[in-house]
Amino acid sequence: MGDLPKGDVSVSNIHIGMLEEIVSGVASDVLLYSYRRSFDGFAAKLTEDEANKLKGKEGVVSVFPSQKKQLHTSRTWEFMGFNKKMKTSIIESDIIIGMLDTGVWPESESFNDTGFGPIPKKWKGTCQKSANFTCNNKIIGARYYLTDGDNGPEDFISPRDAEGHGTHTTSTAAGGLVSQASLFGIAKGTVRGGVPSARIAVYKICWSYGCSDEGILAAFDDAIADGVDIISLSVGSSIPFDYFEDSIAIGAFHAMKKGILTSNSAGNGGPTPGSVVNVSPWSLTVAASTIDRKFVTKVKLGNGQIYEGATINTFDLKGKMYPFIYGGDAPNLTLGVASEFSRYCFPGALNATLVKGKIVFCEYFTDYEGVLEAGALGAVFQDTGNKDFQFSYPLPFSTLNVNDGRMIINYLNTTENPTATIFKTSQDNNQFAPFVVSFSSRGPNPITTDILKPDLTAPGVDILAAWSEASTVTEDDTRRTRYNIISGTSMSCPHATGAAAYVKSFHPTWSPAAIRSALMTTAIPMTSNNNIEGEHAYGAGHINPLQATDPGLVYDAGEIDYVKFLCGQGYTIANIQLISGNSSSCSEETDGTVWDLNYPSFALSSTPGKSITRVFHRTVTNVGSAVSNYRAVVNAPPGLIIQVQPSVLSFEYVGQQQSFVVTVGAELGNSMISGSLIWDDGVHQVKSPIVAYASIML
C-alpha cells in the first residue's frame, strides 16, 4: 500500500492495467476493491503464481494474502469503554429493569438464566399466564396490556414479541453475553446488555396498531408496584405541549415518587428543531449517536469501477456480475408510465419483463417496493438523503450519493451490455464518531424552553441485538434471524437504561435525579463541529457508564422540587394534585422558577437580538471524598458572561449539601452560545452545560 499518485488520474484504471499484465482473464473480473481515497492499493483474486509476478513489478510495495479477522464484540458498550471485564456490583443481580415495549422473545440466548440465583425477594410481580410464554430467573415477570383494536392477526395475545423491537431493546439494556452473534455474518461478535446480571420484567404495551395511553399507564402502574428499579420506554408520540396530556410524563412522575428513574427515547423526528419528545424534567431523555463502526455496501460495475453505498445488504451475490438496467429504460408502458417517471422506480412504474433477474438503477430513493414487485434481482438507488445510518432490505440493495449516481448513469448510457454486482455489507471505521445521527430529535424543549432536552446521547445507530424469531429481518421478507441490526433513539434509550441500572447497582439508595445527574455530569463532552445544533442535539454529551458511578457531586431533586417547578409553570392546584396524588398546593413559598429547578444543566432563552440575564440557584450533594474542596471552572465564550458564587465549595462529609448561585448574561443573535461550569476537586470534574439561545417558541 503506497501513497496516492499525484495529479488527476484514475487509480482504478492503473490497478486494472497492472492486473492485465499478470492475469490471463479479464482484469476487471478479478479486481475486488480499488483503494483510492487515502492510499494506493487494491484487492484482487490471484493465484499464487500471479501474486508472485505482481510482487516483482516496479512500484509494488507489498503483496500479501487476505486473512479472516474476527470481531471480538458488537462494539456499542466497548465503544464507551464499558467492556465485559468492568467492575460489577455484588447486587447487580438484584436490579430489576422494567421494559415497556412490544414484549420479548423469551427463548433468545440473551435471556438464558443459567447461573442466576433465586428471584429477588423485593419482587412483587407476576408472570401472566399464557400458553406460549414462560418466565425464568432472568425474565422474572411478564404482563401484557391489550386494548380492543390494537392487535393484528400476527400478534401474540401474550407477552411474547411478534415484532422484534422489544426483544432488541431488552437485550441491549440487560441481555446476557452471547458469542458469535451476527446478522447473517455481519457484525459478528459478542453481544450483551449493559447489566448482564440484572433481572428483566416485561410489560407489553405495543401491538401492531400502536401503543395505547391506557396500556402505558397500566404498565407504569404495575411496574411501580411490582418493584422494578429502572423503567425503560422507547416509545413516544407527537411533539408534546403539556406534561399532563402525556401518559408517559404522568407515569414517569409516579415512578419518580417511588424512587424509580424512567429512561425515555428522545424521538426520531430530527433534525427538525424542537422535535424532541418525552421531555418531562423528572425523566431521562436520550438522543441517538454513532459508534466507531459503520456499514458499507459496495457496488461494482462491469468496467471495474467500485462505489461505496450506505445500506445493510445481507445477501451475498459472491461477486457474480448481473445485467444492469436503468429504470428509465424500463417504463411500464402497459400502465402508460413514461421513462421520466419509471427512472424513479415507483411501485407499478417498471416493466417486469425488462427488469426481472436484473439489477436496476433508480435515480431517486423512494422505497424498494417498486423494484421488488417487478422481480428485480437487486437495486442501486441514487439518494440525496442522510447516510449516517443504514437499513436492511429484502433484496440486494445499495444507495449511492448523487456524484456516484451520475457516474453510473454515464456507464449505463455508454455501455452496450452493462453489468453490475452488489457486495454483501462490510464494515469500516467511523472516524467522526460519536456524533448525533440525523434522525435523532432535536431541542429546544417544546414545553419548557429553559429545561435543556435531550439530557444526553447514547449509541443508537446500527445496533446489533436480539430479535424475535416470529418477525422477519425486514418487511416483505421471509427470512428469520435471532439477531438484527436496527437504528433509532429506541436503541439509544436502553443503552442509557443499562447505564442507569449499572449506577443503581452501586448506589441503590440514590434517587432518580441523582442517577440522572451522575450520567449527565460525567458525560463525554461533544462539540458542534459534527452537530451544528450543539446541546440541542446531544445535551450534556455522550454517556460514560463507568465514570458515572463516581461523579463526585450530584444535583438531587425530589417530588417537592418538581411540584414547585410545576407551580412556577402556572399549573393549577387541581392539576398538580392530580399528578402528585396528594394535597400539594401552590403559594408564594412553593412557586419556583424554571431556573431554580435543581437540574444538572443550565438553559436560558429569549427572542433574537435581545440581551438576557438569568439567575440560577443550585444545590449539590457530596457523594465523593468526605473531605473535599471543589473549585468552579467556567468556560464562557464571547457573548456569554457567567458568574458563580461562591466559587469554591468545601465539604466535610459524604452527603453534605452546598448551594451556589450562577448568574448568566447573554447577547443573543440567531445561534446558540454554549459554555459550561465544572466543579473540580482534582479528582472529579462535575460538568454542566450552559446554553443561551434565541427561540421562536417563546
Side-chain angles (χ1 to χ4, degrees):
M1 305 290 177
D3 291 334
L4 289 170
K6 303 296 187 294
D8 186 15
V9 297
S10 171
V11 177
S12 296
N13 287 343
I14 293 175
H15 297 160
I16 291 173
M18 295 176 68
L19 289 170
E20 285 175 342
E21 297 178 10
I22 62 168
V23 300
S24 56
V26 179
S28 61
D29 289 343
V30 301
L31 179 66
L32 298 177
Y33 299 98
S34 185
Y35 310 117
R36 58 186 188 275
R37 299 192 66 189
S38 302
F39 51 84
D40 183 11
F42 60 87
K45 292 181 178 180
L46 302 177
T47 65
E48 184 176 351
D49 183 55
E50 290 168 342
N52 288 331
K53 289 180 181 178
L54 186 60
K55 284 181 182 179
K57 294 188 67 64
E58 182 180 355
V60 174
V61 176
S62 64
V63 177
F64 51 87
S66 173
Q67 297 180 355
K68 294 288 186 183
K69 293 180 173 61
Q70 299 296 323
L71 290 172
H72 295 156
T73 171
S74 65
R75 287 301 301 156
T76 54
W77 292 106
E78 281 68 16
F79 173 65
M80 296 183 282
F82 195 59
N83 61 49
K84 58 187 178 184
K85 295 181 181 179
M86 81 285 183
K87 178 183 176 182
T88 58
S89 166
I90 59 173
I91 67 164
E92 183 177 298
S93 64
D94 287 335
I95 298 296
I96 304 169
I97 298 178
M99 300 297 302
L100 278 62
D101 213 298
T102 64
V104 77
W105 189 263
E107 292 83 8
S108 171
E109 188 62 24
S110 291
F111 309 126
N112 189 309
D113 68 348
T114 301
F116 278 78
I119 294 171
K121 293 181 179 179
K122 66 181 179 180
W123 175 244
K124 299 180 178 65
T126 186
C127 190
Q128 195 166 349
K129 290 183 178 180
S130 170
N132 66 3
F133 194 98
T134 304
C135 293
N136 58 20
N137 283 342
K138 175 68 173 178
I139 302 174
I140 62 174
R143 302 175 186 265
Y144 63 94
Y145 306 86
L146 179 61
T147 302
D148 289 344
D150 279 349
N151 64 301
E154 67 275 18
D155 282 316
F156 297 108
I157 310 302
S158 79
R160 183 175 290 278
D161 181 13
E163 195 270 354
H165 188 277
T167 302
H168 199 280
T169 57
T170 302
S171 65
T172 299
L177 277 73
V178 179
S179 62
Q180 299 296 304
S182 72
L183 173 61
F184 297 120
I186 299 171
K188 182 177 288 187
T190 299
V191 296
R192 66 178 180 87
V195 277
S197 299
R199 316 296 179 123
I200 296 165
V202 178
Y203 301 87
K204 183 175 177 178
I205 58 170
C206 297
W207 306 79
S208 295
Y209 303 125
C211 321
S212 68
D213 283 337
E214 56 266 41
I216 290 170
L217 287 171
F220 265 108
D221 188 37
D222 280 335
I224 294 166
D226 288 345
V228 304
D229 295 290
I230 305 287
I231 288 175
S232 188
L233 190 60
S234 292
V235 173
S237 57
S238 57
I239 298 172
F241 294 102
D242 193 306
Y243 297 120
F244 296 127
E245 295 178 0
D246 182 355
S247 62
I248 296 174
I250 294 170
F253 188 94
H254 289 288
M256 173 274 299
K257 287 174 55 181
K258 297 297 184 180
I260 303 166
L261 175 65
T262 300
S263 176
N264 288 128
S265 51
N268 298 335
T272 304
S275 55
V276 63
V277 299
N278 295 324
V279 295
S280 64
W282 44 84
S283 61
L284 178 67
T285 309
V286 188
S289 47
T290 59
I291 64 170
D292 60 348
R293 173 187 69 190
K294 65 178 180 179
F295 296 114
V296 296
T297 298
K298 296 179 179 179
V299 177
K300 181 182 177 182
L301 306 184
N303 63 4
Q305 293 288 337
I306 297 177
Y307 300 94
E308 187 176 286
T311 61
I312 298 172
N313 177 36
T314 56
F315 297 91
D316 189 358
L317 299 181
K318 302 187 182 302
K320 182 179 178 181
M321 306 300 290
Y322 288 90
F324 195 24
I325 188 170
Y326 173 46
D329 292 335
N332 188 349
L333 299 177
T334 303
L335 295 181
V337 177
S339 61
E340 288 79 6
F341 190 73
S342 67
R343 64 189 178 126
Y344 299 129
C345 302
F346 291 119
L350 296 172
N351 183 322
T353 302
L354 293 178
V355 305
K356 186 174 183 179
K358 298 177 182 177
I359 296 174
V360 183
F361 178 76
C362 309
E363 275 196 70
Y364 181 76
F365 180 63
T366 51
D367 206 341
Y368 60 84
E369 293 180 355
V371 290
L372 186 67
E373 70 177 17
L377 180 133
V380 179
F381 274 71
Q382 181 174 272
D383 187 11
T384 59
N386 294 298
K387 294 182 175 59
D388 50 3
F389 63 100
Q390 287 78 42
F391 288 111
S392 297
Y393 297 90
L395 75 168
F397 200 98
S398 188
T399 60
L400 304 178
N401 62 41
V402 173
N403 289 334
D404 288 345
R406 288 171 181 159
M407 299 294 289
I408 288 182
I409 291 175
N410 181 66
Y411 168 74
L412 287 165
N413 289 336
T414 58
T415 306
E416 185 174 350
N417 295 302
T419 59
T421 192
I422 303 172
F423 290 107
K424 188 175 181 179
T425 290
S426 59
Q427 62 186 61
D428 201 353
N429 180 57
N430 187 349
Q431 60 181 328
F432 300 109
F435 62 87
V436 175
V437 68
S438 56
F439 63 69
S440 184
S441 291
R442 265 57 168 182
N445 186 327
I447 299 181
T448 309
T449 55
D450 286 359
I451 295 290
L452 182 64
K453 289 286 183 173
D455 291 312
L456 45 72
T457 188
V461 178
D462 300 335
I463 305 301
L464 176 72
W467 197 246
S468 168
E469 292 184 46
S471 181
T472 55
V473 178
T474 67
E475 294 183 12
D476 299 313
D477 207 337
T478 59
R479 298 168 301 154
R480 313 280 170 165
T481 182
R482 295 179 179 179
Y483 290 84
N484 205 354
I485 299 171
I486 57 176
S487 299
T489 53
S490 284
M491 284 63 257
S492 60
C493 172
H495 278 94
T497 302
Y502 183 71
V503 174
K504 179 83 171 180
S505 72
F506 284 93
H507 306 286
T509 62
W510 280 12
S511 70
I515 294 173
R516 180 185 58 203
S517 173
L519 294 172
M520 290 176 64
T521 60
T522 60
I524 299 169
M526 299 173 70
T527 74
S528 58
N529 292 341
N530 292 326
N531 291 112
I532 60 173
E533 308 91 347
E535 284 80 0
H536 282 160
Y538 46 72
H542 193 279
I543 200 166
N544 186 2
L546 283 177
Q547 193 66 38
T549 61
D550 184 24
L553 305 173
V554 294
Y555 293 79
D556 208 352
E559 180 183 358
I560 185 60
D561 301 288
Y562 297 117
V563 168
K564 289 180 179 179
F565 160 78
L566 291 169
C567 286
Q569 292 294 292
Y571 284 92
T572 66
I573 294 174
N575 275 337
I576 292 173
Q577 290 179 349
L578 175 67
I579 193 172
S580 66
N582 57 35
S583 58
S584 300
S585 62
C586 296
S587 64
E588 289 186 7
E589 291 76 23
T590 59
D591 280 8
T593 71
V594 61
W595 308 289
D596 289 339
L597 180 62
N598 204 35
Y599 217 74
S601 58
F602 302 79
L604 59 158
S605 60
S606 187
T607 53
K610 282 194 173 183
S611 298
I612 184 174
T613 299
R614 297 296 185 206
V615 179
F616 301 82
H617 294 85
R618 292 290 192 270
T619 298
V620 287
T621 303
N622 180 24
V623 295
S625 304
V627 179
S628 53
N629 294 291
Y630 285 82
R631 179 175 58 91
V633 179
V634 170
N635 170 33
L640 202 62
I641 299 173
I642 303 172
Q643 296 177 329
V644 182
Q645 291 294 332
S647 60
V648 175
L649 300 178
S650 297
F651 298 90
E652 297 178 354
Y653 57 89
V654 174
Q656 184 179 3
Q657 295 184 330
Q658 294 284 12
S659 298
F660 60 95
V661 178
V662 179
T663 304
V664 182
E667 297 284 341
L668 294 177
N670 292 315
S671 60
M672 176 186 290
I673 309 173
S674 299
S676 65
L677 166 63
I678 302 175
W679 288 107
D680 191 339
D681 71 343
V683 177
H684 307 92
Q685 289 75 45
V686 188
K687 183 175 182 180
S688 294
I690 300 176
V691 298
Y693 66 98
S695 175
I696 60 174
M697 303 174 70
L698 296 172

